Amino acid sequence: MIYLDNAGSTIVDEEVLKFFIEDNNKNFANPSSLNGLGLKENYEIVNYKREILNTLKINSTLYDVIFTSGATEANNLAILGYARKNKNKGKHLITSKIEHPSVLNVFKELEKEGFDVTYLDIKADGTIDLDYFKSIIRDDTILVSIMYVNNECGCVLNLDEIKDVISKSNNKKIVFHSDLAQSLCKEKINFSLFDMFTISSYKIHGLKGIGALVKKRNIDLEPLVYGGGQEFNLRSGTLSYPLIHSFAFAIKKYIKDFDKNYAYIKSLWDFAYEELNKISGIKVHNDFKRHCPFILNFSTINKESSIVVEALSNKEIYVSTKSSCSSKLKVVSYVIYELTKNENEATNSIRISFSKFNSKDEIKVFINALEEILNTIKGK
Ligand code: PMP
């Protein structure tokens, strides 16, 4: 098997899994319980939170970590929670057109509740035009939510410049959130740029079922889940010590190994890019000012990408696409469309995404298989 869908999900790190299994035997108490075991777990969870903030070089006296089930829930909590709690301050919200559905669909919901949302255009180079951004900030703007690394094409957005515009604006009440689900441990990030940000464990060789919203302590949110009052009353429900411990460990490990992993994955990206460019009928999406080497997106011009992905899958080579082969209805990638304005490319895009467990030899096998498949399938 050749697994090139690491932006979809990563292989669980052996050490992470070891902690998780051990904890399920040892630390299975309820951290909200007032018995000795519960109190010990609760104390350690507080330490894991501090450890996460320290690892990310964030001031732990200013920020809190709220554990959630993953990035979807963290995005919902940040955006819905902030807008609903602060609607008296303003009704204008800003996001981008290439956000993950767990952000875009939340803004669509908020429009139904009476909020006014601006969806920012993204230039072909994967950045936001700063003059345009400046021009849409209003006195009643309360929230800007823009991702850092895009999950489909890997472009890195110019959030440091966006932050600069927000800081210099006369409107001092804007809160800046970023969905960092595809960015954590994959790009060097100044996390202090953000008032709130979202992370998820299984994108960094951790387990599924845990993510977090990290937010400045003085930001008020409305909870989405009510109950026993865990997580500062923002996300009730019993915490999972084993998931939290393994997530904190994964963050520490993959931040520590960042430079080594990044250099290796960049060498895979460079190799795949060079080889893909030799194949006719392929358009690699790389017009970006900056791209994250963990993700590479290309389109199969005049060949249905869903058929290509299925044929690769039959050879146990796993990549990802937007369109579904069984469906008559072609799914256009709104991300690739926004960047290219080309419907054919947006309908036939394929994403390959790497991890440290991939090798150049695997990429060679993938390239050969892809060439063979493209030569055998009819054009559309
Ligand atoms: N945001 C981005 C950018 C993502 O790539 C994903 C996962 N594909 C999510 C949010 C949702 O993450 P989760 O599965 O942890 O809810």
Side-chain angles (χ1 to χ4, degrees):
M1 163 177 110
I2 296 178
Y3 186 75
L4 292 170
D5 189 20
N6 291 282
S9 178
T10 50
I11 301 164
V12 179
D13 183 288
E14 270 179 26
E15 283 186 285
V16 171
L17 192 58
K18 191 168 144 273
F19 276 122
F20 180 74
I21 293 167
E22 278 174 11
D23 282 334
N24 273 293
N25 289 319
K26 247 177 23 194
N27 294 305
F28 48 80
N30 187 326
S32 302
S33 288
L34 295 178
N35 61 45
L37 208 52
L39 288 173
K40 173 187 148 295
E41 285 188 13
N42 187 48
Y43 175 80
E44 286 173 9
I45 285 173
V46 172
N47 283 339
Y48 290 137
K49 289 187 178 192
R50 197 173 309 120
E51 198 177 283
I52 291 173
L53 294 172
N54 289 341
T55 304
L56 301 182
K57 298 196 165 52
I58 296 173
N59 187 338
S60 61
T61 62
L62 295 181
Y63 285 82
D64 283 325
V65 176
I66 299 147
F67 289 115
T68 61
S69 59
T72 300
E73 191 190 333
N75 284 336
N76 272 261
L77 178 60
I79 300 161
L80 280 182
Y82 187 76
R84 286 177 178 162
K85 186 77 178 181
N86 295 280
K87 56 177 183 266
N88 58 328
K89 294 186 189 160
K91 286 273 182 151
H92 182 228
L93 315 168
I94 300 174
T95 189
S96 88
K97 286 187 180 168
I98 62 168
E99 299 297 312
H100 186 268
S102 61
V103 167
L104 282 180
N105 289 334
V106 177
F107 280 106
K108 296 260 148 58
E109 270 315 297
L110 286 169
E111 282 180 305
K112 291 184 206 158
E113 294 179 20
F115 287 91
D116 192 5
V117 182
T118 302
Y119 298 88
L120 295 168
D121 296 331
I122 304 294
K123 293 192 288 182
D125 70 359
T127 64
I128 293 164
D129 185 276
L130 296 180
D131 288 332
Y132 159 62
F133 179 66
K134 238 181 261 176
S135 73
I136 52 120
I137 293 180
R138 310 189 325 210
D139 288 346
D140 66 339
T141 306
I142 57 166
L143 176 69
V144 174
S145 176
I146 307 173
M147 68 194 338
Y148 192 49
V149 174
N150 177 268
N151 50 299
E152 274 190 58
C153 66
C155 67
V156 181
L157 282 90
N158 49 336
L159 295 194
D160 39 355
E161 294 173 330
I162 291 289
K163 170 70 181 185
D164 204 41
V165 173
I166 295 173
S167 301
K168 289 183 180 144
S169 134
N170 292 330
N171 179 341
K172 295 297 170 206
K173 63 184 177 221
I174 298 174
V175 159
F176 190 22
H177 166 257
S178 186
D179 174 0
L180 301 182
Q182 296 288 352
S183 320
L184 179 66
C185 306
K186 298 179 181 182
E187 274 297 318
K188 229 170 209 148
I189 303 168
N190 172 6
F191 293 92
S192 313
L193 283 180
F194 310 112
D195 301 305
M196 304 192 276
F197 60 86
T198 291
I199 51 179
S200 186
S201 158
Y202 74 94
K203 305 290 189 191
I204 57 160
H205 304 287
L207 287 141
K208 290 184 189 62
I210 185 150
L213 176 68
V214 180
K215 71 159 195 75
K216 279 195 179 142
R217 197 159 286 173
N218 61 2
I219 291 176
D220 280 338
L221 304 178
E222 190 141 308
L224 306 178
V225 180
Y226 293 87
Q230 290 90 343
E231 297 300 78
F232 315 100
N233 228 347
L234 289 175
R235 205 275 189 175
S236 287
T238 302
L239 290 173
S240 164
Y241 181 100
L243 283 176
I244 290 169
H245 183 193
S246 62
F247 187 23
F249 176 80
I251 294 174
K252 214 160 77 180
K253 175 166 177 171
Y254 284 88
I255 289 283
K256 185 172 141 277
D257 292 349
F258 175 84
D259 288 336
K260 188 175 75 188
N261 288 339
Y262 190 90
Y264 177 67
I265 282 156
K266 187 174 178 313
S267 75
L268 295 182
W269 193 100
D270 289 344
F271 180 66
Y273 176 70
E274 213 173 283
E275 293 301 308
L276 279 168
N277 270 324
K278 291 180 190 159
I279 305 177
S280 68
I282 277 186
K283 165 81 178 17
V284 183
H285 300 295
N286 184 40
D287 297 329
F288 312 132
K289 215 165 189 174
R290 262 181 76 193
H291 71 255
C292 173
F294 285 71
I295 296 177
L296 199 165
N297 194 304
F298 61 95
S299 296
T300 49
I301 309 298
N302 300 323
K303 303 257 161 119
E304 273 188 36
S305 60
S306 56
I307 297 174
V308 177
V309 170
E310 191 185 2
L312 284 167
S313 218
N314 291 339
K315 292 176 184 283
E316 296 192 358
I317 300 172
Y318 301 110
V319 302
S320 138
T321 184
K322 270 274 132 189
S323 40
S324 141
C325 21
S326 54
S327 166
K328 292 235 166 50
L329 220 152
K330 283 192 194 159
V331 182
V332 177
S333 157
Y334 60 83
V335 172
I336 303 302
Y337 186 76
E338 173 63 17
L339 294 163
T340 63
K341 305 289 184 235
N342 181 317
E343 204 169 311
N344 187 327
E345 289 178 19
T347 313
N348 293 309
S349 76
I350 293 177
R351 176 184 73 185
I352 54 174
S353 45
F354 309 108
S355 85
K356 66 171 187 176
F357 296 107
N358 291 124
S359 67
K360 255 185 196 170
D361 283 344
E362 286 183 327
I363 293 168
K364 276 183 203 157
V365 175
F366 156 71
I367 293 284
N368 289 339
L370 179 66
E371 239 178 333
E372 191 189 309
I373 290 163
L374 288 174
N375 286 335
T376 49
I377 61 172
K378 282 201 215 99
K380 286 240 169 163

